[in-house]
Amino acid sequence: MGDKLKVYLETSFVSYLTGVETSNAKIAADQAYTRQWWEQERAKCDVYVSNYTLDESAKGNADLCARRIERIRNVPVVPKRVEKEIELARRLIEGHALPEGETTDALHIASAAVAGMDILLTWNCRHMANPHTLPKTRDIVSAAGYVCPQVMTPRTFIENLNMEVKDV
C-alpha cells in the first residue's frame, strides 16, 4: 500500500463523523474537523478500523449505530492478533498509561501498534490523545517491541498539515 500514512480510526472518530448536529460549539467544531479530515485527507492515507471499532460502533442508539457502521463498512479491518493486543493492553493498564477499567481504550492503542499504524485518530483526549499520558504510552509500547502510532485528534492532524515549514 505504498508510502501513504497508515491511519487507525478509533470509535470516537466514527461517532463524530456520523453524529447529529449539536448546539455545543466545541463538539460542532470537532465534528467539522472530523468531516474535513474524512473528505480531504482520507484518500491520501491507508485507513483502517479494528474489530474493537466495529464492536463499539454497533452499540447504542440503533439509528446512530446504523450510520456509524454504514460509514466504515468498506474500511479495511486490521488483522486480529488477539493475544498480542491483550498483552500490550494489559501492559498499558498495569503501567498506568490508561486507567484500570479502560480496557477497550487500551485495546485500541494496542491494536493500532501491533498492526503497525502510523497514526491513531481519536477524540478521546481523556485516555488516549492526552499529552500527560502519551509519553508513558509510547514508552510502554516501545518496551513491548512496537512503534507507538502518533495518537492525535483530526484537528491536530489538519493543523499539523497547515503548519509552515521554517528554515533553521
Side-chain angles (χ1 to χ4, degrees):
M1 291 208 160
D3 293 334
K4 292 181 174 182
L5 288 172
K6 293 185 288 184
V7 178
Y8 177 101
L9 304 179
E10 186 266 336
T11 313
S12 62
F13 175 95
V14 180
S15 293
Y16 276 53
L17 180 64
T18 59
V20 295
E21 288 189 32
T22 177
S23 59
N24 180 309
K26 183 193 178 317
I27 293 173
D30 292 346
Q31 287 175 320
Y33 272 106
T34 306
R35 287 189 297 275
Q36 180 184 351
W37 188 92
W38 185 260
E39 293 163 7
Q40 296 175 9
E41 302 305 323
R42 173 176 50 121
K44 301 173 192 172
C45 303
D46 289 329
V47 180
Y48 299 87
V49 294
S50 69
N51 286 301
Y52 309 111
T53 307
L54 294 173
D55 291 347
E56 285 185 310
S57 293
K59 293 179 182 172
N61 175 286
D63 292 335
L64 294 176
C65 289
R67 289 170 71 164
R68 289 189 294 266
I69 295 299
E70 176 59 27
R71 188 56 68 103
I72 59 176
R73 182 171 44 93
N74 294 318
V75 175
V77 178
V78 296
K80 205 173 187 180
R81 296 183 179 100
V82 177
E83 290 177 19
K84 291 180 179 184
E85 293 165 359
I86 289 172
E87 173 59 22
L88 183 52
R90 182 191 60 73
R91 288 183 184 203
L92 288 165
I93 290 172
E94 287 179 359
H96 305 290
L98 287 114
E100 200 160 320
E102 297 302 330
T103 305
T104 304
D105 291 348
L107 285 166
H108 280 295
I109 293 169
S111 182
V114 170
M117 297 290 109
D118 299 307
I119 295 175
L120 185 156
L121 283 183
T122 183
W123 283 108
N124 182 336
C125 296
R126 177 173 284 173
H127 301 133
M128 289 189 212
N130 180 324
H132 299 290
T133 60
L134 272 174
K136 191 177 285 190
T137 297
R138 282 192 286 273
D139 289 347
I140 292 168
V141 170
S142 178
Y146 302 100
V147 175
C148 189
Q150 293 181 58
V151 181
M152 64 179 67
T153 66
R155 175 192 303 257
T156 303
F157 187 107
I158 290 167
E159 287 174 353
N160 285 340
L161 286 177
N162 296 324
M163 288 177 62
E164 290 183 9
V165 177
K166 299 184 180 190
D167 293 330
V168 179

